[in-house]
Amino acid sequence: MFKKTHDQKYIFEKLESFHQMDMTYDSGRILGSMCTKPDPIALEAFRMFTETNLGDGGLFKGTSMMEDEVISSLSRLLHSSEACGHIVTGGTEANIMAMCAAKYIFQEDNEDTPEVILPRTAHFSFKKACSMLSLKTVEVPLNDEYKIDTTALEDCITDNTMAIVAIAGSTEFGLVDDIHEISKIAHSNDVYLHVDAALGGFIIPFLNYRNKTRLNFDFKCKGVSSITLDPHKMGLAPVPAGGILFREKKYLDKLAIDAPYLTKNVQTTIVGTRTGATTAATWALINYYGMDGYADIVEGSINLTGYTYNKLRQMKNVNVIVKPELNVIAFNVDDMKVNVLKEELFKKGWRVSNTVKPYAIRLVLMPHVKREHIDEFLSDLEEIIGGS
Ligand code: 0PR
């Protein structure tokens, strides 16, 4: 028996008091998060694999096999039969891996500073990636719809262009760039194209499947080299679950590092020791829900987004910035500063986020947000605006 400093009762009471301070998704009050309450089946699977380590995959052969199966499923979801990649910690790590692979490819025949073309709507993880990898950023302008202006894209390409980044579900507005057109430009100029579908990757395929949208964003587009898609966003997996897929194994192989003393002597991830638990959670979710289950979940949130959008548009003095394409809505209010409105909403218990260009309140309607929460939110909003 080891000596203990405190008994279990004390430990768990303390833990409970920390937990009490947290917001919960169940409250329906978190309206600005791209994460959501993990699905029970995912949690069950997660618990089964907490001692696994994909960083030493030879010890955990079943877990490694499971990761391969998850990657194959995601590859098929994104219209490829041979894409390869990993389940990682999130969209940030996935985006850094893509930028890293693109840099190594660029450096095979160019010694100049690599340039990355990206829109200002790109997530700040690209700022991290560009800073860590010493990449120069070139900002491609947006069109009136807050999407990459494809007519301006070709002018941004130089001999030193390392990659173009396009977004399928932008952080601020949930908008999808014209990836079909961008892919054509990337392909004809022989430039690496990374699609950040951290949010949209677990939404768009299911909307397309139900014929609700016809958005081309994946490996069907010939010029797309890699895609980020996160199970811990609309995939309903617990954090930390991101996904990175490369069109061909040769791209992933650029990241290979020898680990000669381990059971698998090569690693192609940034992280060394890494859990298999989120891979198990993702495996369980994909195989449990399949296309129809996910389509139902996604449609629920998209329909609620449509409902909220229509209600907001009917409200006096409310301006919705752009018609939502996925599950994100940004709006502001005449004669009321966004930070004031955010503060008033905060006082009423709502946790919303905001966009910057233009300033607006941002709502992300994840599956934990239900119609009754939205109705209550809208009524509080009405009251705040009425009293302004
Ligand atoms: N790419 C896009 C398009 C994103 O929106 C995000 C994060 C990332 C990449 C990075 O993903 P990770 O955060 O998994 O590394 N988007 C969310 C956001 O900034 C992250 C988030 C999630 C923030 C939940 C707050 C929150 O409560 O809104």
Side-chain angles (χ1 to χ4, degrees), residues 167-237:
I167 305 157
S170 59
T171 307
E172 290 199 316
F173 306 112
L175 297 172
V176 183
D177 286 323
D178 183 352
I179 289 159
H180 180 69
E181 192 56 36
I182 296 167
S183 156
K184 282 202 254 170
I185 297 170
H187 196 255
S188 63
N189 286 278
D190 196 19
V191 171
Y192 188 103
L193 171 59
H194 175 64
V195 174
D196 182 0
L199 174 67
F202 268 90
I203 299 179
I204 301 165
F206 307 112
L207 293 178
N208 284 346
Y209 175 69
R210 285 274 163 90
N211 290 319
K212 298 274 173 193
T213 49
R214 290 201 187 284
L215 291 166
N216 257 329
F217 79 105
D218 62 23
F219 292 118
K220 236 192 210 171
C221 304
K222 270 202 303 208
V224 173
S225 314
S226 52
I227 301 176
T228 291
L229 78 168
D230 285 355
H232 73 200
K233 296 193 168 74
M234 201 51 123
L236 309 186

Side-chain angles (χ1 to χ4, degrees), residues 118-306:
L118 41 91
R120 72 165 155 77
T121 43
H123 184 257
F124 59 78
S125 49
F126 289 100
K127 281 196 184 137
K128 296 182 185 176
C130 291
S131 153
M132 287 174 184
L133 298 165
S134 302
L135 311 174
K136 180 179 165 197
T137 55
V138 176
E139 193 179 302
V140 57
L142 301 180
N143 61 21
D144 295 344
E145 297 175 318
Y146 300 95
K147 297 184 186 188
I148 289 180
D149 179 354
T150 52
T151 62
L153 184 58
E154 208 140 17
D155 292 340
C156 298
I157 298 176
T158 71
D159 288 345
N160 294 332
T161 302
M162 176 200 96
I164 298 168
V165 171
I167 305 157
S170 59
T171 307
E172 290 199 316
F173 306 112
L175 297 172
V176 183
D177 286 323
D178 183 352
I179 289 159
H180 180 69
E181 192 56 36
I182 296 167
S183 156
K184 282 202 254 170
I185 297 170
H187 196 255
S188 63
N189 286 278
D190 196 19
V191 171
Y192 188 103
L193 171 59
H194 175 64
V195 174
D196 182 0
L199 174 67
F202 268 90
I203 299 179
I204 301 165
F206 307 112
L207 293 178
N208 284 346
Y209 175 69
R210 285 274 163 90
N211 290 319
K212 298 274 173 193
T213 49
R214 290 201 187 284
L215 291 166
N216 257 329
F217 79 105
D218 62 23
F219 292 118
K220 236 192 210 171
C221 304
K222 270 202 303 208
V224 173
S225 314
S226 52
I227 301 176
T228 291
L229 78 168
D230 285 355
H232 73 200
K233 296 193 168 74
M234 201 51 123
L236 309 186
V239 176
I244 177 69
L245 269 88
F246 293 93
R247 174 181 285 277
E248 292 178 59
K249 188 168 174 301
K250 66 175 190 200
Y251 297 142
L252 179 65
D253 284 347
K254 300 285 172 218
L255 300 176
I257 296 286
D258 284 341
Y261 64 97
L262 297 181
T263 53
K264 260 190 183 171
N265 49 22
V266 172
Q267 278 195 4
T268 43
T269 46
I270 294 176
V271 171
T273 302
R274 62 192 180 98
T275 183
T278 45
T279 291
T282 308
W283 190 96
L285 286 161
I286 292 173
N287 287 284
Y288 182 64
Y289 283 118
M291 293 303 286
D292 284 300
Y294 267 122
D296 286 345
I297 292 159
V298 165
E299 261 191 80
S301 292
I302 294 297
N303 289 344
L304 189 59
T305 308

